[in-house]
Every structure is written in structure tokens, then in C-alpha cells.
């Protein structure tokens, strides 16, 4: 379920030149199997970064480590220069990191607008949070976000009536309601039609400069539409990093993943 918090605890200011997120020599093992093995990369403020790699490369586990769902056995995760390694998920969310999981989880019995009200955390009580009497600024924020994710006309629809793609967009809206500086999106286009995938790319591109975004994705057409830089993972490590063109020409990536078909066959 989208992480919902009652407040954001902002970390100390950082130098404008510093990365927003730094992954330093990160490790985690499950039952002796190294899933993330010495991973290192950085994200600059406002960047859209995509993690790609075969199933089992460690992409989702990396998201789990950043968001606090999984605890690292070694290494550091720095957010705005502060060490957030192995903090609890609610602490990380309050610090300014929001995550949308691969399988969307919204409140099916509430309307689209009510889901957004809960995400805004207008009241710690769920029942009180969906009261019809909202402050004007809250109403405006909900309207703005629903317009951004293309659900303004469906605000009074129960969430159970949404299509799969619309449910994904609602959860993106709920994450954005927290106003995170860093947004983690785990396979946001999984199960979507071509048209829904294009619209999701439009949503992400509309967020450029407002949020830093880290995406795990397999659909390389979608990746081409949104990314600044690609980080390629293999067996828990960073295999390569660069633009689409650079990744297409990288011999290590070609050997491991791509073959003669190019990056679209990853």
C-alpha cells in the first residue's frame, strides 16, 4: 500500500552540488545469496533515473533498501547527505522519499478523491480523513494532482471501478500527495496497454524538475521516453551506467543482456 504519513521530517540542508541520493557499497544477502553486492550510484536533484536488468538482478531489492523495507548488511544510503541506512520505512517516508510499489494498493471502497484525502493525511483517523469539509487549499491540491494523473473526471468514482492503469495513476497521485523529493516507482507500467504506458510517460515527464524519480522498468520504449540516465544491474552489482545510446554501445551490457537486438530486447 502507498505509504501514508502524518508529517514530513525534513533532513538538514545540503550543498547544491551534492547528490540527492548516494548508494555506497550496498550489500544484502538472503540465506547466503548475495542479492545486492557492492552497489554504488548517485542521483542528482531533479533527475529521472531508470534501473534495468534481468529478473533477479537486484532492482526491486534496491528499492526496498532505499525505502527501508529491507535492511542492508553493509554499506550506506545517504539522502541529502544524511545517513538513512536501515531506518524504518515511516522515518524514510517522512524524510521525503515516497514509493509506489509494483502492485497498486488503494482503498477500493473509497472514491478516487477520498483516496487522495487519505494520502494528504488531513487527519490521523481514516474516517475523519475523508470528511467532506476540506480546506480550500486541500481541495485545490487534490484537484491539481488528479488533473496531473488524468483522473479529475473520475474523482467521485469508487476506486474499485478503475481500470488497472487508472489504479496505477491513482497510487502515483497518492504518493505525490506526500510531496516527496524522491519518488520511487517500481515497474509503473506493468500490465498497462500501449496507450496507458504512453500516458504514464507523460505523467512522469510532467514531474521533471519538481521531483527526483527513480524507476525500475522493463519496457524499453517507456524507458526511452522518460530517462536521463540508465543504471544497468547484474547479479546485484552496477554493470554499466549512461544514456540510452551509451548503454546500447556498451559491450559488457551487450554480452550480458542485449545480444544483437539492442537495448529494446533487454
Amino acid at each position: 500500500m502507498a505509504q501514508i504519513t502524518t508529517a514530513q521530517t525534513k533532513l538538514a540542508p545540503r550543498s547544491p552540488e551534492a547528490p540527492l541520493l548516494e548508494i555506497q557499497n550496498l550489500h544484502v544477502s538472503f540465506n547466503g545469496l548475495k542479492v545486492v553486492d557492492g552497489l554504488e550510484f548517485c542521483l542528482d536533484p531533479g533527475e529521472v533515473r531508470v534501473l534495468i536488468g534481468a529478473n533477479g538482478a537486484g532492482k526491486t531489492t534496491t528499492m526496498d533498501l532505499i525505502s527501508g523495507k529491507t535492511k542492508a548488511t553493509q554499506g550506506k544510503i545517504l539522502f541529502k547527505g544524511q545517513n538513512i541506512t536501515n531506518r524504518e520505512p515511516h522515518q524514510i517516508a517522512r524524510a521525503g522519499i515516497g514509493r509506489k510499489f509494483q502492485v497498486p494498493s488503494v482503498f477500493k471502497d473509497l472514491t478516487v478523491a477520498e483516496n487522495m484525502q487519505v494520502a494528504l493525511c488531513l487527519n490521523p483517523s481514516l474516517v475523519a480523513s475523508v470528511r467532506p469539509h476540506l480546506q480550500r487549499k486541500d481541495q485545490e491540491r487534490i484537484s491539481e494532482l488528479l488533473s496531473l494523473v488524468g483522473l479529475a473526471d473520475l474523482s467521485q468514482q469508487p476506486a474499485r471501478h478503475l481500470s488497472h492503469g487508472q489504479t496505477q495513476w491513482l497510487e502515483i497521485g497518492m504518493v505525490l500527495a506526500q510531496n516527496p523529493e524522491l519518488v520511487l516507482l517500481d515497474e509503473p507500467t506493468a500490465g498497462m496497454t500501449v496507450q496507458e504506458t504512453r500516458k504514464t510517460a507523460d505523467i512522469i515527464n510532467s514531474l521533471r524538475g519538481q521531483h527526483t524519480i527513480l524507476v525500475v522498468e522493463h519496457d524499453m520504449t517507456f524507458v526511452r521516453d522518460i530517462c536521463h540516465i540508465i543504471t544497468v544491474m547484474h547479479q546485484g552489482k552496477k554493470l554499466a551506467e549512461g544514456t540510452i545510446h551509451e548503454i546500447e554501445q556498451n559491450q559488457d551490457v551487450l554480452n550480458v543482456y542485449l545480444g544483437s537486438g539492442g537495448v529494446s530486447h533487454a
Side-chain angles (χ1 to χ4, degrees):
M1 178 180 148
Q3 291 181 350
I4 297 172
T5 61
T6 56
Q8 287 195 14
T9 304
K10 294 299 182 182
L11 300 175
R14 68 191 186 284
S15 163
E17 294 79 22
L20 183 72
L21 181 76
E22 297 178 73
I23 305 297
Q24 298 180 353
N25 192 32
L26 199 61
H27 293 254
V28 69
S29 299
F30 301 127
N31 298 319
L33 176 66
K34 293 182 179 180
V35 180
V36 174
D37 185 13
L39 182 64
E40 298 198 352
F41 68 88
C42 296
L43 292 183
D44 291 328
E47 180 182 352
V48 178
R49 175 74 61 88
V50 180
L51 292 180
I52 69 170
N55 290 334
K59 306 181 301 298
T60 293
T61 302
T62 298
M63 294 286 217
D64 290 343
L65 289 162
I66 295 169
S67 62
K69 183 181 177 183
T70 295
K71 306 306 181 186
T73 54
Q74 184 179 334
K76 289 183 180 180
I77 302 169
L78 303 180
F79 181 61
K80 299 194 293 184
Q82 302 288 319
N83 189 346
I84 63 168
T85 313
N86 295 344
R87 289 192 186 180
E88 293 303 313
H90 71 275
Q91 296 174 319
I92 292 173
R94 288 173 180 171
I97 298 177
R99 181 176 181 181
K100 183 208 169 301
F101 290 84
Q102 180 178 350
V103 178
S105 179
V106 301
F107 298 101
K108 296 288 188 178
D109 292 332
L110 300 183
T111 67
V112 168
E114 287 169 345
N115 271 275
M116 294 299 299
Q117 291 173 32
V118 172
L120 278 173
C121 301
L122 304 177
N123 190 297
S125 164
L126 174 62
V127 175
S129 291
V130 296
R131 291 177 303 177
H133 305 295
L134 303 178
Q135 296 183 23
R136 181 180 297 274
K137 66 180 179 64
D138 297 319
Q139 293 175 328
E140 291 174 350
R141 178 62 173 158
I142 288 172
S143 296
E144 174 189 347
L145 288 170
L146 289 180
S147 294
L148 187 149
V149 298
L151 298 177
D153 293 340
L154 301 175
S155 64
Q156 300 309 310
Q157 284 275 0
R160 72 166 67 91
H161 294 161
L162 299 178
S163 70
H164 173 72
Q166 290 167 338
T167 303
Q168 296 273 27
W169 300 332
L170 174 57
E171 192 167 29
I172 290 174
M174 293 173 70
V175 172
L176 294 175
Q178 304 166 41
N179 197 30
E181 291 183 66
L182 175 61
V183 178
L184 309 177
L185 302 176
D186 194 353
E187 297 194 35
T189 67
M192 287 189 177
T193 65
V194 172
Q195 293 77 13
E196 288 172 335
T197 297
R198 288 173 181 162
K199 182 172 177 178
T200 304
D202 291 340
I203 291 170
I204 291 174
N205 285 327
S206 73
L207 300 174
R208 289 180 183 276
Q210 303 174 53
H211 304 271
T212 303
I213 304 174
L214 179 63
V215 184
V216 166
E217 188 53 66
H218 289 288
D219 185 329
M220 296 309 299
T221 300
F222 174 72
V223 170
R224 288 176 182 275
D225 288 341
I226 66 167
C227 76
H228 289 147
I229 298 294
I230 294 173
T231 297
V232 183
M233 292 188 66
H234 178 60
Q235 297 180 348
K237 301 176 182 288
K238 181 175 75 174
L239 177 66
E241 193 169 89
T243 64
I244 283 273
H245 177 73
E246 289 168 340
I247 294 302
E248 284 182 320
Q249 304 302 317
N250 186 293
Q251 193 59 50
D252 290 336
V253 177
L254 292 172
N255 291 342
V256 171
Y257 290 120
L258 306 179
S260 60
V263 75
S264 64
H265 289 248

